[in-house]
Amino acid sequence: MPKQTILITGASSGIGAALAQAYAQGGATLLLWGRDEARLTDIAAQCRARGAAVITQSFDLRDAAGLAALLAATDSATPIDLVVFNAGLGGTAPADAFAETPQAAQAIAEVNFVAPVVAANVMADAMARRGAGQIVLVGSIVESYPLPMAPTYAATKAGLRLFAESLGMRLAKHGVTVTLVSPGFIDTPMSRRVTEPKPFLISPEAAAAVIKRGIAAKAAVIVVPWQYGVMRAATNLLPRALLRWILSRT
Ligand SMILES: NC(=O)c1ccc[n+]([C@@H]2O[C@H](COP(=O)([O-])OP(=O)(O)OC[C@H]3O[C@@H](n4cnc5c(N)ncnc54)[C@H](OP(=O)(O)O)[C@@H]3O)[C@@H](O)[C@H]2O)c1
């Protein structure tokens, strides 16, 4: 494999950890970011066993100013070929509350939207100057739906979708591609907190394999598992008022 430096946020769990393992092989330098040092160390050891060079970084993405500085310093020390902004925070408002707490809404907004947008702009500038690079943003299939049980989560993912499309258009002429990943249900600690039925649930390893193939093909959008792409196309045909009526009863 040609030498490649890959940064993955949220590499200490779920989809990010599975992606780290999917990319772990000789020639790969993996920059694995997360908060939980013990889990990061464990994933790093598994990746090294597959032949990758690994550098871990424990960092709270809610520190947006620190994030921009750390990422710029990391990229100038080890120029990044592929960056996957995967870290995310789930969260639904309690059914018996009128709204999400301001603190919960702020945390979700900062981790799911502010951090990837700030960081993607740092990487967009650096990669465009080099004339090459790939930026991947992990959104969610919920980006297409109004979710009364999780208004902030839905909004952050909807925002990320438009950001990815816009940034991709802006960077295309500079040799940098932008990919949006829209997962349905993937079996991770985040989705295990959801008590409702989880149709088409797949393992993080299966999701990582699909995402890796899509990134190699420089896809603009990767829906995983594929059934959610069909579901989205079908529900897009419904009048929005009918969709709202259905979702307000779930
Ligand atoms: N699983 C699904 O069904 C599903 C569906 C749609 C979209 N997604 C999206 O897929 C992505 C990965 O989710 P997952 O299911 O793999 O979740 P997960 O297992 O809960 O992992 C989330 C990752 O994000 C990191 N993270 C959270 N808050 C952070 C913060 N403040 N600073 C730094 N890192 C932080 C966590 O780090 P620590 O654990 O070290 O704190 C962890 O590595 C998310 O963007 C999520 O929205 C998942």
Side-chain angles (χ1 to χ4, degrees):
M1 174 191 154
K3 283 191 181 309
Q4 198 182 23
T5 298
I6 302 166
L7 188 151
I8 302 170
T9 67
S12 52
S13 178
I15 298 171
L19 275 173
Q21 298 195 6
Y23 280 106
Q25 54 186 301
T29 298
L30 301 180
L31 311 177
L32 304 183
W33 287 20
R35 279 180 308 183
D36 187 302
E37 290 206 26
R39 276 189 275 112
L40 267 183
T41 303
D42 185 39
I43 305 294
Q46 295 174 39
C47 293
R48 287 190 189 105
R50 293 175 183 218
V54 184
I55 301 170
T56 60
Q57 178 71 55
S58 177
F59 183 78
D60 190 332
L61 294 169
R62 293 186 65 185
D63 173 7
L67 170 61
L70 177 64
L71 190 55
T74 302
D75 183 68
S76 45
T78 319
I80 298 164
D81 302 298
L82 164 64
V83 61
V84 184
F85 295 116
N86 157 79
L89 200 54
T92 51
D96 58 355
F98 290 119
E100 298 164 281
T101 65
Q103 294 81 1
Q106 184 173 351
I108 295 169
E110 287 178 354
V111 176
N112 292 5
F113 186 74
V114 177
V117 164
V118 166
N121 275 295
V122 172
M123 289 314 305
D125 183 73
M127 287 175 167
R129 285 173 196 278
R130 294 197 283 272
Q134 278 188 273
I135 297 172
V136 179
L137 295 143
V138 178
S140 166
I141 199 70
V142 307
E143 70 214 5
S144 307
Y145 303 102
L147 290 187
M149 71 295 274
T152 307
Y153 184 80
T156 59
K157 297 299 186 177
L160 219 47
R161 178 186 185 177
L162 201 58
F163 173 73
E165 190 175 3
S166 308
L167 189 67
M169 290 163 64
R170 184 176 179 91
L171 294 180
K173 57 180 175 293
H174 302 295
V176 182
T177 58
V178 178
T179 296
L180 176 73
V181 180
S182 298
F185 281 118
I186 315 296
D187 189 14
T188 69
M190 184 186 288
S191 69
R192 278 175 220 137
R193 287 190 284 274
V194 176
T195 51
E196 289 79 20
K198 287 169 262 189
F200 312 118
L201 182 77
I202 60 167
S203 70
E205 292 73 26
V210 173
I211 294 168
K212 189 179 170 191
R213 274 201 303 277
I215 291 173
K218 301 193 171 174
V221 178
I222 302 166
V223 178
V224 59
W226 63 268
Q227 288 91 336
Y228 282 89
V230 177
M231 211 163 82
R232 177 156 73 188
T235 51
N236 274 348
L237 299 173
L238 297 175
R240 196 73 172 172
L242 177 58
L243 190 61
R244 278 203 299 271
W245 184 84
I246 295 167
L247 287 167
S248 63
R249 272 149 190 80
T250 54

